[in-house]
Amino acid sequence: MLARPAFRLTPGVACILLCLALVALASTSLSDGAGLTAGLQALFGSANPTMDTLVLHFSWWPRLVMSLLAGGGLALAGVLMQQVLRNPLAAPTTLGVASGANLALMTATLLAPGLLGLGREWVALVGGGLAMALVFALAWRRGLAPVVVVLGGLVVNLYLGALGIVLLLFHQEELKGLLIWGAGSLAQNDWSGAAFLAPRLAIGALAAWLLLRPLAVLELDDASARSLGVSLRALRLAGLGLAVFLTGCVVSVVGVIGFIGLAAPNIVRLAGARRLGQRLLWSTLLGALLLATTDQLLQRFTGQVSGLIPTGAVTAALGAPLLIWLIPRLKLRGDQPPGTASAPAGRHPAPNRLAGGLVLGLLGVTLVALLVGQTANGWSWLSPGNWEVLQWRLPRVLASAGCGVMLALAGTLIQRVTANPMASPEVLGISGGSAIALILAIFLLPAPNNLTLVGVGTLGALASLGVLLLINGRSGLLPERLLLTGVAITAAFDAVRAIVLAGGDPRGQQVIAWLSGSTYYVDLTSALIVVALALVLGLMTGPLARWLDILPLGAATSRALGIGLKRSRLVLLLLVALLTAAATLVVGPLSFVGLLAPHLARLLGFSRASMHLLGAALAGALLMVLADWVGRQLLFPQEIPAGIVASLLGGAYFMWGLRRL
């Protein structure tokens, strides 16, 4: 008796299953409203319209069509990017294209609204193209290696996000309506959006079909492709230009829709579609059905508030686990960023004297931050006895210094534990996990106090660390996989942030101020608590210096010297979680001080773990105090929060480090 063949998920089967689910959800939605027959008739209009049929004709049906168009367009763009870059993690969201397009539209809305009249898609195209050009510049010297490309996309996303928060802080009323749209809203009021997007996507699909055979050559190595007379530079430019155009068109209509461009191409590839033509066809269909089904589920289970929950943010929240699932299955051998760009620059002959110099520098910057500033009459030097002004400046300086110390210590610990010079709480998603927990606590707990928030934030940081260890434990905490896991956790944080800010809750204003890293609301009592936490946790790192000297030498050496790997890593990572949560509570999740301060300490010559911790702590405090002062003075009387200034400085350093790889 012949065995029955096992069920195998093919791209066609996946599309059929999703199509059946979509039809079932749509039919149920129509039946619950005006009825299935009336709902179908409402698509083409009705001779005797009712309120229900009008809503269906001008809102429900356009939303369904828009979800199909946007999902198909983003999936098509994702296939093109993955084909050109030979990178399964390439997508409009992971490469910063969608964020660049979104920021360009925000900027045009504020500074040159007339440009939008010429065509929103062209503004978005310029923004997305510039973002991708920046990613390419960062990864070019490494031959567009997958890990470096994705890391470049991560930092560009964070950098553009920081700039977007600056615009939002200074122009909240003008950009308030863009919050839901920018997070990926499919809500429609008429058919104009679908009529705008459909012909442009049709042109893009036709261009992709014309490029099908040339792009298939990119499956060969570069030497073989050149032997066939193909201009690789022109071909890559054409493929990526088309992908950016498709992304720009979608973003200009519905905002940033996360992870469809990543999910659909990878699903059809895993389901057996190997040739480019098959992946273009099935990915486009699957992406359309995937987004439409997700949106129907969202409307089904959220009822009347579905319009306030952006579909793009929900797809990002669903896509982050997909990325985490894909990471262990990626073949990234040889693509990891080398540590030469950030290797120790040599041991300083007198580290104690160097530390004393940093202390003097910190005192000097602190005095400037306290006594020098702008007033209504211009720059002025404040007398030390003027407590009326000092009572406002002193808490900010103390809080900035304390948070700088904690983030720097957390970054130093995580870099030494993982032997990864590009690691930091921000890059690995530890700050993002803490931020997710803190946002949920603010919205779900009745009037949580600071101690509760620190506890919740620590649990969030520990959860992120748990995911990092679970995904990367068997691979020996390989640097590239750790960084990619951080990308996924950060994407989940971005999704939660978008959902919260788009909801219209008054507490969203508090979240915006906190996410930006502002020290404006810190009082003296809170600042002293932050400084006390920094001192206590900093002193706790001292006895652990021996572990930190030995662990980077490898597991075998550590065991030979009597260090229990599990116990030591658990203690160190717990301390990282406490440091990250306490600092994130004050200055937000994206300061990059945890990356920048340990590197500065290494470059100055602090090589031994104890001196490295001390040097990083002093450098972190100096950086944050300086960032807070610069943020207060740069656009006086308006302020740029310290966390934003630090993230712009740290993000620039991160990009410089990637560029040198």
Side-chain angles (χ1 to χ4, degrees):
M1 182 177 178
L2 295 175
R4 299 179 65 181
F7 173 78
R8 182 171 178 268
L9 182 67
T10 65
V13 171
C15 288
I16 291 173
L17 292 176
L18 273 177
C19 186
L20 292 174
L22 177 61
V23 170
L25 287 168
S27 300
T28 303
S29 179
L30 292 175
S31 299
D32 292 343
L36 184 59
T37 303
L40 292 173
Q41 292 175 346
L43 172 62
F44 305 100
S46 176
N48 300 307
T50 64
M51 182 60 67
D52 288 339
T53 57
L54 287 174
V55 169
L56 288 172
H57 179 74
F58 289 105
S59 179
W60 191 89
W61 279 110
R63 178 167 179 158
L64 177 60
V65 173
M66 180 59 69
S67 63
L68 292 168
L69 291 173
L74 290 173
L76 181 57
V79 175
L80 292 170
M81 289 180 175
Q82 292 178 16
Q83 179 72 10
V84 171
L85 298 176
R86 303 191 187 104
N87 182 350
L89 293 176
T93 45
T94 57
L95 296 187
V97 177
S99 298
N102 189 39
L103 181 62
L105 289 165
M106 291 175 67
T107 306
T109 301
L110 292 173
L111 303 179
L115 292 176
L116 300 177
L118 300 176
R120 295 169 296 177
E121 70 275 24
W122 302 115
V123 176
L125 176 64
V126 171
L130 291 175
M132 174 161 279
L134 182 56
V135 174
F136 274 23
L138 298 177
W140 193 261
R141 291 182 62 179
R142 287 283 292 161
L144 300 179
V147 172
V148 183
V149 169
V150 175
L151 286 179
L154 164 69
V155 73
V156 168
N157 263 326
L158 295 178
Y159 208 79
L160 298 180
L163 292 175
I165 290 178
V166 171
L167 293 179
L168 183 61
L169 284 172
F170 291 155
H171 304 280
Q172 293 186 32
E173 291 301 322
E174 296 92 328
L175 296 177
K176 189 174 182 179
L178 292 177
L179 281 175
I180 297 178
W181 170 85
S185 174
L186 292 173
Q188 302 292 309
N189 295 320
D190 53 36
W191 288 92
S192 60
F196 171 88
L197 190 57
R200 289 162 174 79
L201 293 186
I203 293 173
L206 177 61
W209 180 73
L210 294 175
L211 288 172
L212 181 61
R213 294 187 65 183
L215 287 175
V217 177
L218 293 177
E219 296 177 5
L220 306 173
D221 59 81
D222 288 0
S224 300
R226 289 193 185 96
S227 68
L228 297 176
V230 175
S231 173
L232 292 178
R233 182 173 298 178
L235 189 55
R236 284 172 173 155
L237 183 63
L240 291 174
L242 179 57
V244 173
F245 171 76
L246 291 167
T247 304
C249 289
V250 174
V251 170
S252 67
V253 178
V254 297
V256 179
I257 303 288
F259 278 94
I260 294 297
L262 174 71
N266 278 290
I267 289 173
V268 299
R269 184 190 292 270
L270 292 172
R274 296 289 183 264
R275 300 179 62 182
L276 177 59
Q278 294 175 328
R279 286 186 283 123
L280 284 173
L281 173 63
W282 291 116
S283 294
T284 303
L285 291 174
L286 186 68
L289 294 169
L290 196 60
L291 183 56
T293 305
T294 301
D295 188 53
Q296 287 294 316
L297 283 170
L298 179 65
Q299 294 183 71
R300 181 71 182 168
F301 292 107
T302 58
Q304 297 299 317
V305 298
S306 63
L308 300 178
I309 301 179
T311 306
V314 175
T315 57
L318 296 175
L322 171 69
L323 181 54
I324 290 174
W325 181 76
L326 284 172
I327 288 169
R329 291 160 175 78
L330 296 175
K331 296 179 180 179
L332 300 172
R333 185 178 304 169
D335 286 334
Q336 62 267 31
T340 55
S342 51
R347 185 177 181 182
H348 193 276
N352 291 325
R353 193 188 331 165
L354 181 60
L358 279 177
V359 170
L360 292 177
L362 177 59
L363 290 175
V365 171
T366 300
L367 287 175
V368 170
L370 288 173
L371 303 178
V372 179
Q374 297 186 70
T375 66
N377 299 319
W379 288 91
S380 65
W381 179 275
L382 193 68
S383 64
N386 192 342
W387 179 246
E388 293 181 354
V389 178
L390 284 178
Q391 66 177 332
W392 299 105
R393 293 182 181 177
L394 182 60
R396 304 185 63 166
V397 172
L398 291 176
S400 299
C403 290
V405 168
M406 288 189 284
L407 287 172
L409 291 175
T412 306
L413 292 174
I414 200 71
Q415 286 183 16
R416 284 185 170 266
V417 169
T418 62
N420 181 0
M422 300 302 284
S424 77
E426 303 93 343
V427 176
L428 294 186
I430 302 171
S431 294
S434 182
I436 291 173
L438 288 169
I439 290 176
L440 294 177
I442 291 173
F443 277 79
L444 299 179
L445 298 180
N449 55 34
N450 287 334
L451 183 60
T452 301
L453 291 176
V454 170
V456 171
T458 302
L459 290 176
L462 285 172
S464 296
L465 284 168
V467 172
L468 287 169
L469 295 175
L470 181 65
I471 299 299
N472 302 281
R474 291 185 178 179
S475 64
L477 299 178
L478 291 177
E480 71 276 14
R481 296 191 187 277
L482 276 172
L483 294 170
L484 293 176
T485 309
V487 173
I489 297 173
T490 303
F493 158 64
D494 287 338
V496 173
R497 178 185 64 180
I499 292 172
V500 167
L501 295 184
D505 193 297
R507 289 169 293 185
Q509 181 64 35
Q510 176 187 356
V511 172
I512 292 175
W514 168 69
L515 288 174
S516 65
S518 176
T519 58
Y520 182 82
Y521 299 101
V522 177
D523 56 24
L524 186 58
T525 302
S526 300
L528 291 174
I529 293 174
V530 170
V531 172
L533 278 173
L535 290 174
V536 171
L537 295 175
L539 291 174
M540 291 174 62
T541 63
L544 307 177
R546 179 174 177 270
W547 289 354
L548 297 173
D549 277 323
I550 296 173
L551 285 174
L553 301 178
T557 304
S558 300
R559 290 193 187 96
L561 294 174
I563 294 179
L565 289 180
K566 289 185 178 180
R567 180 171 60 91
S568 60
R569 285 175 174 171
L570 182 62
V571 171
L572 289 169
L573 293 176
L574 177 60
L575 191 53
V576 168
L578 286 169
L579 288 163
T580 303
T584 300
L585 182 61
V586 179
V587 296
L590 299 177
S591 67
F592 277 103
V593 172
L595 174 74
L596 189 54
H599 278 237
L600 289 178
R602 284 178 179 272
L603 292 173
L604 289 173
F606 294 104
S607 57
R608 294 292 298 272
S610 57
M611 296 307 298
H612 189 198
L613 288 167
L614 177 60
L618 293 172
L622 194 152
L623 283 169
M624 282 303 298
V625 172
L626 184 62
D628 184 65
W629 181 78
V630 169
R632 283 189 278 131
Q633 309 304 325
L634 194 62
L635 297 178
F636 182 84
Q638 294 179 313
E639 293 187 13
I640 303 176
I644 292 292
V645 176
S647 67
L648 295 177
L649 294 174
Y653 176 80
F654 190 97
M655 288 189 279
W656 176 76
L658 276 182
R659 183 69 181 90
R660 292 184 63 219
L661 292 179

